[in-house]
Amino acid sequence: MEAQVENAIEIAGDPSSDQALKTQAHDFLNQLRTDPSSCQVCLSLFTLSPPRSAVVRVVALDIVNNALQTGQLDSQGLAFVKDTLTEYIRRSYKSERRGSSLTNGNVEDNEGDSVAVQNKLTQTTTYLFTNMYPAGWEDFFGDFLGLTTSDDGQWRGNLAGVVLYLRVLSSVSEEIADQQIQSTAEEKKRNNDLKDLIRVRHAKQVALSWQEILSQWQGRSDTVINLCLKAMRLWVGWTDITLILNQALLSLLFQLVGKVDDGELANQAGVDTVRNGAIDTVTEIVAKKMKAGDKLEMIYFLDVPSVVAQLIASKSLQDLKGTPRYDTDLAEAVARLVNAAVFDVVKSLDADPVDDQTRQRADKLLEIFLPSILRFFSDEYDEVCSTVIPSLTELLTYFRRLAKTKGGLGPQYTSMLSPILNAIVMKMKYDETSSWGVEDEQTDEAEFQELRKRLQILQQTIAAIDPSLYIDTLSNVVGQTFGSLRMGQGQVDWRDLELALHEMYLFGELAVKNGGLYNKSQPSSLAAERLVGMMQQMMESDIASYSHPVIQLHYMELCVRYCAFFENQTQFIGQALDNFIRFVHHDHVKVKARSWYLFQRFCKHLRAQMGDIAQMVIRAISDLLIIKAELPEDDESDDDTSSEHHNQSAAALVDSQLYLFEAIGSISSTSNVPVSMQVLYAQAVTNPLISDLHNHLGPANNGDERASLQIHHIIMALGTLARGFSTWMPGSSSTITSPPPEAVSEEFALAAEAILVALEALKASISIRAACRSSFSRLVCVLGPRILIQLPRWIDGLLAQSSTKDEMATFLKLLDQIVYGFKTEIFNILDSLLTPLLRRVFAGLAEPNSGTDDEIQLAELRREYLNFLLVILNNDLGSVLVSSVNQQLFETVIATIEHFAKDATDLPTAKLAFSVLIRMSSIWGGPDIAPPSDPTIQTASPALQGFDHFMITRFSPLCWVLPNNPTVKPSDHPARQALGEVASLQKVIYAKTGQDYLTYLAQVEFKRFGFEGEPAEEYLRALAGMDGKAFKSFFLAFINQRRGN
């Protein structure tokens, strides 16, 4: 049997094995995993001598592990596994005949188990521990500790046994005490019980063994020392701290902490790993959860401040700082220790209650640790800085809470804020070795920007604690930098300028948080006043002439972010505009592309102040308004293309170029620009584009891809220009915007006609349809009612035979806007185009699904179709649905609504379908007769002849489909919403038809599903007597009752 299992494992693990044979091998091994008796065979295979291959042994033991984990073995089976493995371990790890030896402090294992086998063996013993330590293997740790004595009687001298013992200690702790592993309630109880047993039985013995092993192996094997330190770190969080806080063990630990060699051995790997492991062990001791007073007592007992001070003063961290030999690993290790200590000191201050003595001791520690935490926070390596950010965040958060509750901070804390803020500001700065815009350093740049986000949070916290300090500090940093630039004191480093501009950007969060920058033409706050001063300094310093790209980008960002400054200080608009025009022609592609977007934002905000210079701007950037389509290169379609490369692709640049057209539209269409000039400006841009579109139409019709792409870009540019000219929305009641002048609309009507010609010729192209759809939505705002004349052609082009469901749904959304905006003018056009429009929608709804994406698009099309019907009904246009032109399609419309109302797999759509039925019933059902809205009307008087009977016989039966579907659960929100609409429909039908509906329910529908007697009478009374809200609740309760819930 062992040979059969071995053969199966080898076949399964051999890449060259026949696939069918490999499948059989896997099936066989999976069968073994479900058979408890296979443990005996697999154990035998694992322990065979000579040993089989590592792969065979690992898989064999893994099958045993599966049996242990899944509880397949009874007590007898567990005992067999334990006895077999302990015999193997004694034979293999107790004796030094295996060939284990020490070379340069490392374990060499010439004949024994491989690392992979040892890992699996350790895992197996851990599973045995969890099953048998309470009963069956009570002296688990004692047995493994016994392996550590060598054959010659040397105490803890057997290398193989010591290593296995320490690995088992770590594995056990990871199994029962790892907080990051999600455990069930049963597993948590088991783990807690095991930890309690260890504390009683073996914790003291284990702690003593650490002391013995550290003493025996220090200077002999770094591997053993590191394994021992790892075990200590894992155990310290849940064992009695007094077992560790003894002089003998701490003395050994701090000897290892002090292994910072100031001579030739600095930075040697062995020294580093042991020393850093020892420091991390002290960190875990410091971080152990305990009461505030006890924690402070322990920090003082361990003399952590002195330990940290000595480590900081070591050659590796002091003399070698700023050199390639600077020990960053040591810096991170010490930073972790400082972070843990400060974090817990702050926690002790924030405890409730805290006595005066504890507070005084904590305050003293804070004062001692502050230079250390700032030293690591200011470290040139961001990894070191990030290590102490959690404790610094905790400290500032505590200060913020204290300032809020006490109305301010005491002097002992206030004095800490300034050095912390200064350190944060300086850490915001690019370091001396960094560059900007270098492709090879994109990862470093991204990491630095992530660090800045964390630093920004710290700055914001200080701003909340002491706004005056924040305002003064940032004002000084920015002011001094601009002063140096203005005075010409040497070449100011781009990093200093970038820092000043970045801090100006962040400063706005305080300066404008309570509204705008100005209030009645005056700065709205002290922070706003300082920011206005900074902006003035920036403009006067002519920083925009600085050649570094990042400075130019920041300059534009600030001009846009604080555009209110230019509204008040109009004398600077011309200067800023000149700089923008220079930047939009920049050679650096990133600056150029970003400037096109920011230029549009700047023009849009300040369009009222720029009307008289529109012509100058158009001339200045006219060379950039020329569309030149470029087919994408092959690598631009690669999924792995970086975002940086994507932003510089031909398609991305065209997208950015469109912002220039919107900017032109914004500054050309202000009220202080004469209409005649607006027309000229529009013509200056649209005429060349329309001409170019016509020139490329022939080649595009003949399959020229570049010509087709050129037309796509032109259509997008025309639409974007229209958006710049008018932000008015049809149907809007806003007095801020108004329709554009008639003469301007006429010019864009020509552009719309050119786009329609292209659409009619190229409507088979999905990209052309997408561009036309985008432009259509924007032309509506500038054409107004003129768009209605062209609407049939737009529908014919945008809802082509090849249009996707997604395209149809999107266009229906646009039509919703058209119907709402032009409800008083659209009736005749809607009446004529409704039937062909709905026929195309019905064709899309009937198309078969080809996958998940198709299902999502179909659901969206259903909802948009129903929404479109609702928009028609809600805007007094419902008569188009039953006009003589569209009457033939009315039954199909009703049938689709009925179909969607019955669909329990799409309850949001079902709800919407019932909403349509409710609206139809409300409009065409006539006046209410139950209770009567008009006392003179006692019988149903529908607006459409026979609609009262239609509601009862067609709509009412739908009300029982969802309630009778067991998959529709009223407790689920979508179902509850849909069923609520069902109840509302019944109330509307009753309101319009009165007793006729109650009679129909009792004599027809209730009998159909056997609902009679008092429950039926109660239902009819509720329908007739309750208001809408109460009946909804009754209806949901009725459904639950019928189902026996």
Side-chain angles (χ1 to χ4, degrees), residues 162-197:
V162 169
V163 169
L164 181 64
Y165 168 68
L166 293 173
R167 287 164 67 91
V168 168
L169 288 184
S170 295
S171 180
V172 165
S173 185
E174 288 169 342
E175 175 68 20
I176 67 174
D178 191 338
Q179 299 298 318
Q180 296 180 341
I181 296 177
Q182 294 290 332
S183 303
T184 64
E186 183 180 355
E187 289 171 337
K188 289 178 181 177
K189 182 181 184 307
R190 180 207 69 178
N191 293 341
N192 289 332
D193 291 343
L194 288 170
K195 285 185 283 188
D196 288 341
L197 280 174

Side-chain angles (χ1 to χ4, degrees), residues 181-238:
I181 296 177
Q182 294 290 332
S183 303
T184 64
E186 183 180 355
E187 289 171 337
K188 289 178 181 177
K189 182 181 184 307
R190 180 207 69 178
N191 293 341
N192 289 332
D193 291 343
L194 288 170
K195 285 185 283 188
D196 288 341
L197 280 174
I198 292 172
R199 293 184 187 107
V200 173
R201 294 177 182 173
H202 287 107
K204 187 174 182 180
Q205 183 183 22
V206 170
L208 181 60
S209 73
W210 294 333
Q211 178 182 329
E212 295 165 347
I213 290 170
L214 289 177
S215 176
Q216 177 78 6
W217 290 96
Q218 188 172 167
R220 296 178 58 203
S221 171
D222 291 334
T223 299
V224 171
I225 298 299
N226 279 323
L227 286 172
C228 186
L229 292 173
K230 178 184 178 182
M232 290 176 65
R233 290 194 297 273
L234 291 171
W235 279 58
V236 71
W238 55 274

Side-chain angles (χ1 to χ4, degrees), residues 121-147:
L121 179 60
T122 303
Q123 187 181 50
T124 308
T125 56
T126 301
Y127 293 149
L128 280 172
F129 164 83
T130 58
N131 281 281
M132 302 186 71
Y133 188 65
W137 201 352
E138 292 85 348
D139 197 25
F140 175 87
F141 295 104
D143 287 350
F144 278 95
L145 186 58
L147 299 173

